[in-house]
Amino acid sequence: SGLERPQVVAHVQQALSYTLFDCKWVPRSARLLCLGSAARGTGLLQLYELRGGRLALLREIEKAKPIKCGTFGATSLQQRYLATGDFGGNLNIWNLEAPEIPVYSVKGHKEIINSIDGVGGLGIGEGAPEIVTGSRDGTVKVWDPRQKDTPVANMEPVQGESKRDCWTVAFGNAYNQEERVVCAGYDNGDIKLFDLKTMSLRWETNIKNGVCSVEFDRKDVNMNKLVATSLEGKFHVFDMRTQHPTKGFASVSEKAQKSTIWQVRHLPQNRDIFMTSGGAGSLHLWKYEYPAQRSKKDSEGAEMGVAGSVSLLQNVTLSTQPISSLDWSPDKKGLCVCGAFDQTVRVLIVTKLNKV
Amino acid sequence: MGDESVPFLLDQGTTKTYQIPIGHLDYKFIEKCTDVKHLEKILRVLRSGEEGCYPELTLFCEKRIEHLDPRSRALRKDKPAATASDFTAEEWETINSDLMLYFPLVYKGNIVCLFISRGALLCTIIELIFFITLRFDVEKECSRIDEGCEESSSKARFFSRPSLPIIEKNIDTTGMTKKEKIFIATREKEKGNEAFATGDYVEAVTYYTRSISVIPTAAAYNNRAQAEIKLQDWESALQDCEKVLDMEPGNVKALMRRATVHNQLQNYQTAIEDLNKVLCVEPENAIAKVKINDLNMTRKRLYAAVFHSKGGGSKAEERETQKQKESTESGLKKGTSQKEPQKHLSDHGGEVNGYLHSGQKSESPEAEISRSHVAGSQSAGDGSSTSLPPAAAKLKGEGNELFKSGQFGEAVLKYSEAIEYVTGEQSPDDLSILYSNRAACYLKEGNCSDCIHDCNRALELQPFSLKPLLRRAMANESMERYRQAYIDYKTVLQIDSSIQAANDSANRITKTLIDQDGPNWRQKLPPIPVVPVAAQLHRWDGGDFISENKSKSTTDEKFKTLKNEGNDFVKKGKYEEAVNKYSECMKLNTEECTIYTNRALCYLKLYKYEEAKQDCDHVLQIEDSNIKAFYRRALAYKGLQVRKKNMAAGGHKKKRKKITIQEVTESDEQEERQFATSEDVVTDHVTSKEAVQTSVPLETSEKLHISEPSNAYDFGQIINAVNTNKDKAACADLLTITDPKKLPVLLSNKLEGEVFLIFIQSLEYYVVGKDPGLVYQHLFYLSKAERFKVVLALLSKSERKQVQQLFDLLSENQTNQYSLEDLESLKKVYEL
């Protein structure tokens, strides 16, 4: 059965001359973007194309501030504008065909934007396209690219409360025009779920260690699952279908490795399979298995969720340096790109995902 | 492990991390260790290399962990990415070409994207995919989306339950390129599949609907149909299946699903037509075949019911005829079209399995036609049942059913009717079978004389048929007509020597007859009929031979399942049922001792000590050292209050304990798991019983040698047992074989008032008369035992009196083994 398991093939490796922070597939193409910081402290944006067994550099764009993160989540499939967050706290939207000036630009945060996510574009998520940014300044802001300068929502700590570094943000629950949530993870282990429909904090929990990455298994369905990874090598899978009045969401946790799990990404074609990337240059491919019954009644008759289990499908070690970014191709199942601190971008093929 | 490993530890110390004894880094230890956590620690130590590098041992340890817990995290190793060498050349080729094939298309699309034309809104020229890619004003696009949604929601065809989230049913595709549509349609379908997989069928239907709203694909319709079937929305499912079949007329899944729907809507004919179409496309589709058969049955039954209501009672017979035909028809179909495992229905299914090779079969008279029939007539199998007049066949079938469900009385009536029907017709085969079946019922009812009567008739009609012979033998045996039973069993064995039950019974009876008639028992037997070679040879007929093989191959499995069922019953405390299951097992395999020991346990629970004893005897004949059998026989003896047989003495005890433990790990797990507990419970009684048995004079040929307790533990065990039973005789026996000098050692620090007293009493009642010298010795050494003074100080007046009496007896029976002075000084020690 060993051969029947998914295998991870390093299809292409490309060494870069700058620090890579994020990499993203350009939807409906064989192209990918690398975002990072050049040695002299400027921001770099490279567009590569997969040609045979190599990556061809199509375009390189240099910007004033190092670029930390990017997303295509709020753009249409036709436009494919890239939204980025940089070290200066700026949110920019770029037309890659004409990258000289941004299509949209706002100084959204006082400090670095650590994480960005988009929804409502690419045919993913109902409702208006929106972008969420999370920053070191402790705020999480939701932007509508149609609305200049001011965020449509701003989630910040109450005055007097200490500001936490927000490390990760993610959209979810966008299954109709009204519903939408944002999940944010902070350096102290807090996970907060903001309901954008009611503009309220819907749920919060703490997983003890800094939350490096959160992601819903799908943004555009009735909230199903959420994975949160942490600084000390654990990740938690929350079943988001059933919220208990006091206990919140049921979860299962798994320790993947000794080092930080930098990122989690669900396979776009199957929400129950996801990959985590680790501090020691490793990748782990997981599958979530649902319990027989996803919810049950507690002693007071309130519905509470029942967590399933997680099984490891495959793991590989690609580098000695942390793999900080990970992205599945939305088009080709099993195609994946990852960027590591060893200044290398790798295109991977994960086989036999159909058989899982 | 405890005691032995201590010096080992001192010698070698522990590992630096985790402080694991060095001795644990050893093949033997790892092999036996079942503690995964501990093994993981060992593995970490081994991998770290801090205690030296042992690649083989590390590997061995990994394997052991994998064996115990395949999902252990310790097994996760850093692995490099897979390379060409991890795949076959073909696979590698596919992986690479797959990507190449996928992307050129996308790539072309991208080049086109470079020539973006602006402004053209709401164009319908989307089909010009490669040359014009539209670009929208964001705001306009969004407003359009909003409008579209309002529109589409009104169009929604499916109702969601109010508690469920409201999801749009249609996706507005205006302005999308074909590729976008494909992308979105696929994505929505995937969402549907995921929802389906988690059982959210309503959600799944919604997402399939959305997918269809973008691009109507057969796959999405087909999947939606399946989800609708799950929701029992038959009408919608039917429509969807039809859509699929419009697009892909030969779609097997859609046909199958439509058949299911038709079946539910009771359009049986159409359902059958669909299934037939499936079989046109996939002639080997097993599910379709099964379904067709089921449908045919349902349809016929329905038809018959209608017919019946029209025609009234007079038509009943006709209906039965039809039923009969139908079943044979379906039977034939099954037989010819495929070799699927099927339930043994009324008629000839039982044929395949030889009698008594399959435990279940032997229970049911329907298997009747089996060997006896093959032996008797060449027209075996199908022919036999069809040759019965329909009404009789029906009666017989009903009788069989009744028999199976345990209603033997009713079955007898049915068979009797059938017999009346058949009598006078020229079908001795059938009549013989009917008699034989009725005999089976009588036997089950315990009506042995009628059983024998019927068997006689059956045998008149069909001489040397196996089943009637066996049944008559059993009936005779139950009536204690052992000689006749013996003859019948022997006859059976001439026909087929492989029938184990007959073998066993014959042996059993032999013993009884020897007991009853003495060594010349054979002379009192009536002559055993000689079976004509013709009858014997039929056993080797081609067809039968094959069936023989078949039955053998299935025997093992059946045996297992029966045994497991039996074990389950034991777990539930249903001992009677368990006994039945085990008994069936025995018919399949008489060699397996565990079955006998298990059954013995059940008998014990049911207070059937005699049967339990017999089972244990049987096991002990096969395996003379089967500990369980000894245990259980001891229990049986206890139950029977028979104290004449003797098993093992105290000396064997420690050994025995050990073996029990080994059993837990070595022997058949299933059995162990459940008996471990009952065994524990029983142990106390057992030990006491055994101890008692030590006291019994060895008289039978089976007796075992009692060796004296070799250590304090053994001794303590026996004493405990003796003490709980207050069995002075046993205690006396123990003291007789125990060397007095060892007494202080054996007693260790366990001397107590009760023990002391029982010693005194048993010495007084049993030993002093025979061997006063020994009594003196014992008393002398007893006084040297630890805690003697304490015990003595705590004796009551009457107890002191008893000791005094013993000393009096000693002085009366004084021998040259001790002087009166000795006795006096000893008396002083005993503070008398």
Side-chain angles (χ1 to χ4, degrees), chain B residues 273-478:
Chain B
E273 278 167 22
D274 277 347
L275 290 170
N276 280 328
K277 279 182 209 159
V278 171
L279 290 178
C280 287
V281 185
E282 289 180 10
E284 291 307 306
N285 193 315
I287 302 165
K289 283 176 183 170
V290 172
K291 278 191 175 170
I292 282 192
N293 282 331
D294 289 353
L295 274 167
N296 273 324
M297 300 281 263
T298 334
R299 200 163 54 117
K300 292 268 168 71
R301 202 175 304 137
L302 214 73
Y303 169 71
V306 173
F307 199 62
H308 178 60
S309 66
K310 277 184 194 162
S314 62
K315 296 281 177 188
E317 205 181 293
E318 207 166 326
R319 176 183 49 154
E320 304 310 343
T321 323
Q322 191 159 17
K323 239 186 175 175
Q324 190 62 32
K325 262 188 204 158
E326 167 210 307
S327 66
T328 41
E329 189 182 285
S330 68
L332 278 174
K333 254 187 207 165
K334 278 183 188 168
T336 49
S337 57
Q338 69 195 104
K339 283 178 181 67
E340 248 194 288
Q342 44 171 295
K343 283 175 269 164
H344 296 295
L345 291 171
S346 54
D347 25 35
H348 8 281
E351 195 80 39
V352 184
N353 301 295
Y355 175 60
L356 287 179
H357 281 281
S358 56
Q360 281 162 331
K361 284 288 93 73
S362 71
E363 280 277 296
S364 62
E366 115 253 313
E368 182 56 39
I369 324 151
S370 75
R371 190 146 320 125
S372 67
H373 203 86
V374 179
S377 72
Q378 296 293 336
S379 68
D382 299 32
S384 67
S385 67
T386 44
S387 74
L388 265 185
K394 179 230 159 193
L395 284 167
K396 182 183 153 201
E398 285 173 4
N400 289 352
E401 285 303 319
L402 287 166
F403 182 92
K404 267 191 228 162
S405 55
Q407 294 162 286
F408 306 118
E410 284 89 311
V412 166
L413 293 178
K414 292 285 171 196
Y415 288 132
S416 307
E417 274 187 64
I419 288 168
E420 269 177 49
Y421 233 101
V422 181
T423 317
E425 293 192 26
Q426 291 304 312
S427 54
D429 302 3
D430 296 317
L431 200 55
S432 163
I433 289 164
L434 286 167
Y435 275 123
S436 172
N437 284 5
R438 196 168 70 178
C441 298
Y442 283 134
L443 187 62
K444 285 280 174 189
E445 283 186 319
N447 184 349
C448 293
S449 53
D450 279 343
C451 172
I452 292 170
H453 193 70
D454 271 357
C455 290
N456 287 341
R457 284 198 194 145
L459 288 167
E460 278 165 25
L461 293 160
Q462 278 295 333
F464 304 115
S465 307
L466 267 182
K467 286 204 172 181
L469 276 171
L470 267 168
R471 286 180 186 144
R472 193 170 66 183
M474 287 180 205
N476 275 323
E477 196 184 344
S478 345

Side-chain angles (χ1 to χ4, degrees), chain A residues 44 69 100 107 128 185 252 276 281 347:
Chain A
L44 263 184
C69 48
E100 293 75 28
K107 166 84 178 160
V252 59
T276 56
V347 176

Side-chain angles (χ1 to χ4, degrees), chain A residues 156-295:
Chain A
E156 57 183 340
V158 200
Q159 275 211 324
E161 219 174 272
S162 65
K163 290 185 174 178
R164 307 305 322 197
D165 192 344
C166 175
W167 281 353
T168 174
V169 287
F171 273 118
N173 210 29
Y175 63 88
N176 67 19
Q177 297 287 321
E178 293 83 33
E179 295 286 347
R180 193 165 287 186
V181 299
V182 164
C183 185
Y186 298 84
D187 64 339
N188 62 344
D190 279 353
I191 297 175
K192 291 179 196 288
L193 187 71
F194 305 106
D195 191 327
L196 296 184
K197 183 187 173 191
T198 58
M199 293 304 270
S200 60
L201 176 69
R202 180 160 168 187
W203 169 71
E204 60 183 332
T205 189
N206 186 289
I207 58 166
K208 289 190 193 128
N209 286 282
V211 187
C212 299
S213 177
V214 291
E215 194 186 46
F216 286 95
D217 56 356
R218 273 190 193 278
K219 295 173 193 172
D220 54 347
V221 295
N222 182 14
M223 269 197 306
N224 189 52
K225 293 197 316 283
L226 175 82
V227 177
T229 73
S230 77
L231 202 61
E232 40 63 90
K234 252 191 187 168
F235 66 85
H236 303 255
V237 187
F238 296 90
D239 186 317
M240 304 299 280
R241 274 288 157 95
T242 318
Q243 184 174 12
H244 186 270
T246 53
K247 287 175 186 143
F249 299 102
S251 74
V252 59
S253 70
E254 171 75 28
K255 193 164 173 87
Q257 54 231 337
K258 283 177 218 103
S259 49
T260 305
I261 308 180
W262 283 76
Q263 199 116 80
V264 55
R265 287 291 175 255
H266 288 83
L267 186 66
Q269 294 84 7
N270 183 345
R271 67 181 179 187
D272 300 324
I273 295 173
F274 57 94
M275 184 119 93
T276 56
S277 74
S282 59
L283 292 174
H284 289 71
L285 188 69
W286 306 91
K287 181 167 198 277
Y288 181 81
E289 270 134 27
Y290 294 95
Q293 287 291 326
R294 285 183 74 177
S295 67

